[in-house]
Amino acid sequence: MQLNNKMRTPKENYLGIAKGIIPDYVPHYTMGMPLRVHPERTPTNSAGPTQLMFGANRPGLGAPATEVSEYTNIWGVPYVTTESTGFAGLPKPDTFIVDDIYNWEKIVKKPDIDTNVDWEAMANEAMANINRETTAVTSGFSCGTFTTLIGLMGFTEGLCALLEEPEKVIELLNFITDYYEPIAVKTLEYFKPDIVSIGDDTASKYAPFFSPEVYRQVFKPQYNRVLRYAKERDIPVQFHNCGKCEQFVDDMVDLGVRFWDPAQTENDLVGIMEKYNGTLAVCGGFDYVPDVNGATEEAVRAYIRETLDKYAPGGGYAFTGGYVGTSESPEFTTQVNTWIADEVYNYGSEFYK
């Protein structure tokens, strides 16, 4: 119940959906980035030790990448951006640097990054333009351990190593987490985030890449090493995990995850929301691809209303999603995403009234 009918801030509106509180309106979550349409409704903004997590040469950290480029991540993995990925970086094909899990110690080295930084100055600069009264600060703790393994070895060798030599994989992942864990501690101390975020894409559209047993044996302990500090402080965790990963939701909640994005529709989102009402907020439910004839404004807005009608009743939901489009039609992509955001605002504003 609200006092004096005062509208909650976007921060309060968003944080409440993981606690069973019915929001004033449907929150619109955009992966911790400011909303481009109706920015006053931005629920969270990302701020963290970006350079220590990704290095300084990854494109798109300050602004979206707009051209094909190559770079190397902090673990020595060569990446390439392409038009087909919207200039998002993916490991460069056929150039994986670890060909045998038994050789990882000869190849994978601690990132050559100066971690002796002025944390207070870094935090102040990163959060200088964030109003913490109205917007929740989200700080990322680490890059995904599974995606790091696949980046180093490729899917074929990486999954074979998981099956045949899980102990060696755990050795490698422990080495990687040894780098991230002290950064997590410092991040909590200096950024004092409202939400801690972590991401690891552990599933395809149709199934997870490995069993729940492997998840618990190999990956969950790594997540726990960095997330336990947030859990001890009762700071909610936002987990980015694409694909059909619903088999891992129980373990995610156990780790302290209270927000899950992008929560794609191949999962039983309604069932998950019913099971975890008041504990886990689902941020997603929108996988939009226009038909071959393109998209009309009427169709896009109708699909938004259909999505909110399906997932938003009862709370525990934030809209997350958009239209990726192609580099050949940036104006059309922008237009579709404007319709999407505007309809989430208009229809979502009245939804709980």
Side-chain angles (χ1 to χ4, degrees), residues 328-340:
E328 290 81 17
S329 56
E331 296 83 6
F332 176 71
T333 300
T334 299
Q335 180 63 80
V336 173
N337 281 310
T338 299
W339 294 334
I340 290 172

Side-chain angles (χ1 to χ4, degrees), residues 235-298:
I235 299 173
V237 174
Q238 178 114 18
F239 203 121
H240 175 87
N241 203 349
C242 298
K244 189 176 175 61
C245 59
E246 59 189 357
Q247 292 185 42
F248 305 145
V249 170
D250 286 349
D251 293 290
M252 289 163 54
V253 172
D254 184 54
L255 287 164
V257 176
R258 299 295 175 259
F259 300 89
W260 167 36
D261 71 82
Q264 294 177 294
T265 55
E266 50 264 29
N267 300 281
D268 179 14
L269 299 183
V270 172
I272 290 169
M273 293 174 70
E274 290 175 351
K275 179 177 180 179
Y276 291 105
N277 184 33
T279 303
L280 177 70
V282 166
C283 309
F286 188 79
D287 302 322
Y288 179 69
V289 179
D291 62 33
V292 293
N293 298 315
T296 65
E297 179 175 1
E298 180 182 0

Side-chain angles (χ1 to χ4, degrees), residues 111-124:
D112 185 19
I113 295 175
D114 183 9
T115 56
N116 186 27
V117 298
D118 186 336
W119 276 86
E120 185 173 3
M122 179 171 57
N124 289 338

Side-chain angles (χ1 to χ4, degrees), residues 145 149 169-178 218-219 222:
T145 47
L149 172 68
V169 172
I170 291 171
E171 286 181 13
L172 168 60
L173 299 185
N174 276 328
F175 177 81
I176 291 169
T177 306
D178 285 344
V218 179
F219 297 103
Q222 306 301 327

Side-chain angles (χ1 to χ4, degrees), residues 144-166:
T145 47
F146 173 70
T147 50
T148 300
L149 172 68
I150 298 307
L152 289 165
M153 302 191 70
F155 268 98
T156 300
E157 295 299 328
L159 291 175
C160 285
L162 268 178
L163 176 65
E164 298 172 348
E165 302 292 346

Side-chain angles (χ1 to χ4, degrees), residues 1 4 12 40 63 66 96 102 121 136 144 175 190 197 223 255 264 296 301 308 312 348:
M1 180 180 296
N4 303 322
E12 294 169 334
E40 72 280 1
T66 57
F96 302 109
Y102 277 91
F175 177 81
Y190 287 95
S197 67
Y223 304 145
L255 287 164
Q264 294 177 294
T296 65
R301 291 182 181 274
L308 268 56

